[in-house]
Amino acid sequence: MVVIGCVISLYAAQPMYSFTQGYCKVINWAIDQNVFVMSVIVSVLMAIAMILPISSLAIAMSLNMTGAVAAAASIGCCVSMIGFATASFRDNKIEGFLLQGLGTPTIQFPNVIKKPWIYTPILITSAVLGPIGVCLLKMTSETTAAGMGSCGFVSQIMTYQTMINDGVSRNTVLIEIMLLQLLLPAILTWIISEIMRKKGYIQENDMKINM
């Protein structure tokens, strides 16, 4: 089994490296656009990166994401984690909620491959919340937060520290973090996923994970 694993890794390494490099180039292009376009694209692409077999943190570090870019990225990562945890609650209950919301949504990758449209609530929510957080609320963050999402509440902690250091009041920072990184990702993805369930686009156990 070890030999088989090594052989698979050998052949998969180069394609994954090339894919990650291309992914970073697209994000880097988005960073150079106006703040609205940047916030939408970065938030969506980092939300997607959270479920792919690549490192969202490595992407954030390689692009040295800081400030508004890091804020958009952290919102996207949080939407992917909190959003999937909430949207799949019917299928996975509290254990799945905690596993995805505080751990990783990558375990949904096989389900997304089988039925890509289950990712629609996350894509829409990240596209909406990214510019709200960056353009409207002027949120900022730092590199680690940009790639970790709600895993261990890293994004929340680092965003708090960054915005406090920028001179934003504590109450404002706490409210914005609660809304953009926790509550709104849960509420919006739940609403969208419920609409899709009623329309038949998402069905029972589409987001079921093996625990």
Side-chain angles (χ1 to χ4, degrees):
M1 291 298 291
V2 174
V3 174
I4 294 175
C6 290
V7 172
I8 293 175
S9 298
L10 181 64
Y11 281 96
Q14 186 57 46
M16 287 305 302
Y17 174 79
S18 299
F19 174 80
T20 304
Q21 289 294 99
Y23 206 83
C24 286
K25 288 181 180 179
V26 175
I27 295 177
N28 200 40
W29 171 85
I31 291 172
D32 292 333
Q33 308 309 305
N34 66 68
V35 67
F36 176 79
V37 173
M38 178 279 294
S39 62
V40 172
I41 297 177
V42 169
S43 182
V44 169
L45 290 181
M46 290 303 286
I48 295 173
M50 287 297 290
I51 67 157
L52 296 176
I54 58 178
S55 172
S56 55
L57 179 58
I59 291 174
M61 294 180 68
S62 68
L63 297 177
N64 192 30
M65 291 183 176
T66 56
V69 176
S74 64
I75 289 171
C77 291
C78 289
V79 168
S80 193
M81 298 182 71
I82 299 296
F84 250 135
T86 305
S88 69
F89 189 84
R90 282 192 184 189
D91 298 327
N92 301 306
K93 307 308 180 205
I94 189 64
E95 295 87 353
F97 181 89
L98 295 174
L99 184 59
Q100 296 171 91
L102 299 179
T104 175
T106 306
I107 51 180
Q108 285 285 355
F109 183 65
N111 292 331
V112 174
I113 293 298
K114 289 187 291 185
K115 293 187 176 181
W117 50 88
I118 66 173
Y119 206 63
T120 303
I122 281 75
L123 296 179
I124 294 175
T125 302
S126 58
V128 170
L129 295 185
I132 290 177
V134 172
C135 302
L136 184 61
L137 300 180
K138 309 298 182 184
M139 294 181 73
T140 57
S141 197
E142 57 85 68
T143 307
T144 306
M148 289 295 288
S150 54
C151 180
F153 296 113
V154 172
S155 281
Q156 288 71 37
I157 294 170
M158 301 311 295
T159 298
Y160 175 85
Q161 292 179 355
T162 301
M163 293 183 68
I164 289 294
N165 290 337
D166 288 343
V168 184
S169 71
R170 180 174 301 176
N171 289 341
T172 298
V173 174
L174 289 174
I175 290 171
E176 291 182 359
I177 289 174
M178 285 295 296
L179 286 175
L180 274 297
Q181 294 186 356
L182 297 171
L183 295 180
L184 289 178
I187 293 170
L188 293 183
T189 51
W190 180 80
I191 291 173
I192 298 169
S193 65
E194 287 300 301
I195 292 173
M196 293 183 69
R197 287 181 188 274
K198 290 181 179 179
K199 296 291 185 179
Y201 295 114
I202 297 178
Q203 299 178 350
E204 186 177 358
N205 292 327
D206 277 353
M207 290 185 267
K208 182 73 174 177
I209 58 176
N210 296 319
M211 291 180 283

